[in-house]
Amino acid sequence: MTFKQTWRRMAQLVGACALAAAAAGAQAADTPKPGGTLRYGTVSEIVSLDPHVYGGSAWKVLIEALYSPLAGYDKSGAIVPRLAQSWDQPDARTIVFHLRPDVAFQDGTPVTADDVKFSLDRILDPATGATLRSNLLGATVTVVDPATVKVEKPSPDATMLSVLALPEAAIVSRKWVESGANLKLSANGTGPFQLKSYEPAVRASLVRNPRYFVAGQPYLDGVDFRMIKSDDARVNALRSQSLDMIDFVPWKDIDVLRRNAGTKIDTAGGAFMSVWFNTSKKPFDDARVRRAVSYAIDREAVSKAAFFGYGKPIYGAPTPEDSPYYDKSLDGTYKRDTAKARALLAEAGYANGVDASMVVFQGLGIYTTMAQVVQANLKEVGINLKLEPVEWATLVERKNRGDYDSMIYGVSVKLPDPDAYAYYLGGDSSYWAKPIGYRDPELEKLLAEGRALTDPKARQPIYQQAEKRILETSPWVFVSWREQAQGYLRKVHGYTQLGGALSESSPGISLPTMWIN
């Protein structure tokens, strides 16, 4: 064999070995490896662990890790069993849940139908301030036997199972709560992890729940939540590998981190930015003023300045174009028109201008950038807007007290169903409406009609009317879609970034099947 032939043969052997090693590495990467603690950096502070009172995106991830509802969503977006191993729907207003046998809370107390009834009744109790109260209003919960619960609404409700599959419908231990437990500072759930320690607004440490009802899960030994408000600090912690994963990758850093060989960035749509009004206070108690704001905002400028190509203006209602409920005729409703904005202000009695304030979360750059654009836009039409930068916990507290003129808020639709509007706008018991006593009987009637139907084609015209009503009255101004990005090290596996209504829940849904290699 000549030198050239020998060299060629050696190169072939080396290449084959390299391919085999790469294949083995790929196979190893696809095989879950138990153990390890995921260090997760989040922008928003978690100031309460009450599973029935929504506290932001990071709160939702933590609650999904600690608690379980009767049903839940999987990585495909399908509703799957959680504490209930199955359910029957004898009619459009009734669900009968059959609980898994031998499931226990983290303190070892068995989960029974009595705990389910207690939990759902707690959500329905106005004193709780539960986020899903408006969605479940009118429901009665009956214990059929220790392993069976019946939930009934007074009229047909196509959304009931979707609502009960949300993390905010978590089941808590009646015995534990009635013993005087502080649900804001402690946890006792049935989720894949249990609480080891918690420092409000700073840190939460979780360890694997050995009693979790899914065999072999979770793969991780624990999760360490670190609440880091600074965009740059969160990104630098990922780059330096002092964190394994971060939420809300700053939009200015998405492309840069994608070019980093050691990190991976996943994005998905579904969230949007909006302006929320306190409709009980002047000047925003007048729909004409709210509509003036909607006409005045330069949505294209907001999208470019805040989202670096990962945002898109919303000129109508926040229904994705691929939804069967999308109404193309509403797109373009609020194209920028400063003349219309001034005319509406004059009609409302503010021809000489008006002063107002806006609460803005200062921990995330997109909020402050958007606020500055909106402030400049409104000044052009005669609204002098004073910006009030606050921490996330303060923003949530002021929202819950109704202590604001207006605020910028980023949200996603909470359900993969058009009735998601009811979560926010469905009466004075809903998440946004309750603190300010917002009511719109016409909208509530339309939402109730749509909820009572199960045929999508029959529901479509009703939700189109509902969206027209929302745009006419403008309790919110819909400004821009935004891509949501999670960043993580290449050694983190098993994560799936979901879009649409489940974009906010992606980390919580993925945690039980994530691992570190």
Side-chain angles (χ1 to χ4, degrees):
M1 183 179 291
T2 66
F3 175 80
K4 185 177 290 187
Q5 290 172 325
T6 302
W7 180 256
R8 185 182 297 117
R9 179 59 179 157
M10 289 178 63
Q12 289 171 342
L13 288 171
V14 170
C17 290
L19 287 172
Q27 185 175 6
D30 290 337
T31 303
K33 178 183 176 183
T37 296
L38 180 77
R39 300 164 300 172
Y40 185 69
T42 177
V43 65
S44 57
E45 308 105 317
I46 303 167
V47 295
S48 170
L49 301 179
D50 190 326
H52 295 150
V53 184
Y54 178 82
S57 298
W59 170 92
K60 197 160 191 171
V61 177
L62 184 56
I63 294 306
E64 287 199 81
L66 294 171
Y67 289 93
S68 305
L70 291 164
Y73 293 92
D74 67 9
K75 290 182 180 182
S76 73
I79 296 177
V80 295
R82 288 286 187 261
L83 290 182
Q85 64 179 357
S86 64
W87 51 83
D88 307 313
Q89 292 184 271
D91 54 58
R93 64 186 189 88
T94 308
I95 307 178
V96 180
F97 291 97
H98 307 282
L99 302 183
R100 293 177 184 268
D102 304 321
V103 176
F105 292 102
Q106 292 163 8
D107 65 0
T109 306
V111 177
T112 68
D114 189 52
D115 295 302
V116 175
K117 176 174 171 56
F118 174 80
S119 300
L120 299 185
D121 284 347
R122 183 176 187 267
I123 291 172
L124 289 164
D125 183 353
T128 304
T131 307
L132 295 181
R133 180 172 180 265
S134 64
N135 298 82
L136 296 176
L137 213 54
T140 57
V141 187
T142 305
V143 173
V144 178
D145 60 48
T148 311
V149 183
K150 180 168 65 174
V151 184
E152 293 178 281
K153 293 290 285 288
S155 57
D157 186 344
T159 70
M160 185 159 49
L161 184 60
S162 298
V163 169
L164 291 172
L166 292 171
E168 295 95 319
I171 303 306
V172 298
S173 164
R174 177 175 184 172
K175 179 181 177 182
W176 178 68
V177 175
E178 291 185 339
S179 72
N182 188 335
L183 276 74
K184 293 183 178 181
L185 297 175
S186 56
N188 178 31
T190 55
F193 297 91
Q194 58 190 32
L195 190 67
K196 178 181 179 182
S197 63
Y198 171 57
E199 187 178 352
V202 179
R203 190 169 187 166
S205 293
L206 278 56
V207 294
R208 188 178 190 274
N209 178 11
R211 295 188 177 91
Y212 188 47
F213 51 81
V214 179
Q217 293 182 13
Y219 302 139
L220 294 166
D221 286 336
V223 184
D224 186 9
F225 284 81
R226 304 180 190 179
M227 301 161 210
I228 304 172
K229 294 175 287 187
S230 165
D231 281 353
D232 290 341
R234 240 171 30 265
V235 169
N236 289 336
L238 183 67
R239 280 178 171 148
S240 66
Q241 301 191 13
S242 58
L243 287 177
D244 302 308
M245 186 171 186
I246 63 172
D247 68 1
F248 285 92
V249 175
W251 284 256
K252 65 182 178 64
D253 295 309
I254 290 175
D255 288 340
V256 175
L257 286 174
R258 274 193 164 139
R259 292 193 292 268
N260 188 327
T263 59
K264 186 173 180 181
I265 304 296
D266 287 349
T267 63
F272 60 89
M273 300 299 290
S274 50
V275 174
W276 290 9
F277 298 111
N278 186 335
T279 58
S280 67
K281 291 178 63 176
K282 290 184 178 300
F284 300 123
D285 60 337
D286 192 320
R288 292 170 295 187
V289 177
R290 303 193 297 266
R291 288 168 57 211
V293 172
S294 201
Y295 279 120
I297 293 176
D298 187 340
R299 290 162 172 79
E300 188 67 37
V302 170
S303 292
K304 287 180 178 178
F307 299 110
F308 294 82
Y310 291 94
K312 180 182 178 183
I314 301 175
Y315 295 108
T319 300
E321 292 182 16
D322 60 355
S323 167
Y325 297 95
Y326 173 70
D327 184 355
K328 185 174 177 59
S329 70
L330 296 179
D331 193 21
T333 300
Y334 282 112
K335 285 282 189 179
R336 191 169 196 232
D337 191 327
T338 54
K340 279 188 180 179
R342 292 191 195 95
L344 284 165
L345 286 174
E347 188 180 320
Y350 299 111
N352 295 322
V354 62
D355 296 332
S357 63
M358 175 175 282
V359 176
V360 182
F361 174 38
Q362 64 182 3
L364 202 57
I366 57 169
Y367 280 77
T368 52
T369 300
M370 175 176 164
Q372 290 163 359
V373 174
V374 169
Q375 183 185 43
N377 293 161
L378 297 194
K379 187 176 180 62
E380 288 183 54
V381 300
I383 301 176
N384 301 309
L385 197 63
K386 178 185 176 184
L387 303 183
E388 299 182 32
V390 297
E391 303 293 349
W392 178 255
T394 303
L395 183 143
V396 172
E397 181 184 345
R398 290 184 63 175
K399 191 280 298 179
N400 291 341
R401 291 202 314 261
D403 178 22
Y404 62 95
D405 290 349
S406 65
M407 64 170 55
I408 289 177
Y409 216 100
V411 298
S412 61
V413 291
K414 296 299 180 183
L415 296 171
D417 186 282
D419 191 61
Y421 287 119
Y423 184 99
Y424 296 108
L425 308 172
D428 63 359
S429 60
S430 56
Y431 177 71
W432 164 79
K434 180 181 179 180
I436 58 173
Y438 171 81
R439 297 298 298 268
D440 186 81
E442 183 177 336
L443 176 59
E444 290 175 40
K445 180 175 180 291
L446 288 167
L447 293 173
E449 289 176 2
R451 199 178 304 126
L453 298 173
T454 55
D455 180 6
K457 287 188 177 179
R459 300 178 83 200
Q460 285 172 356
I462 293 173
Y463 286 107
Q464 288 171 358
Q465 291 179 58
E467 289 189 331
K468 285 179 183 177
R469 180 63 182 170
I470 291 169
L471 293 173
E472 286 170 4
T473 57
S474 292
W476 293 9
V477 168
F478 306 110
V479 178
S480 179
W481 292 109
R482 72 180 194 207
E483 291 283 313
Q484 197 78 4
Q486 300 275 342
Y488 50 97
L489 302 180
R490 292 280 177 180
K491 68 177 183 178
V492 175
H493 303 276
Y495 177 71
T496 300
Q497 177 70 22
L498 304 177
L502 298 178
S503 61
E504 190 179 34
S505 294
S506 299
I509 292 172
S510 293
L511 269 180
T513 54
M514 290 174 65
W515 76 95
I516 299 173
N517 189 357

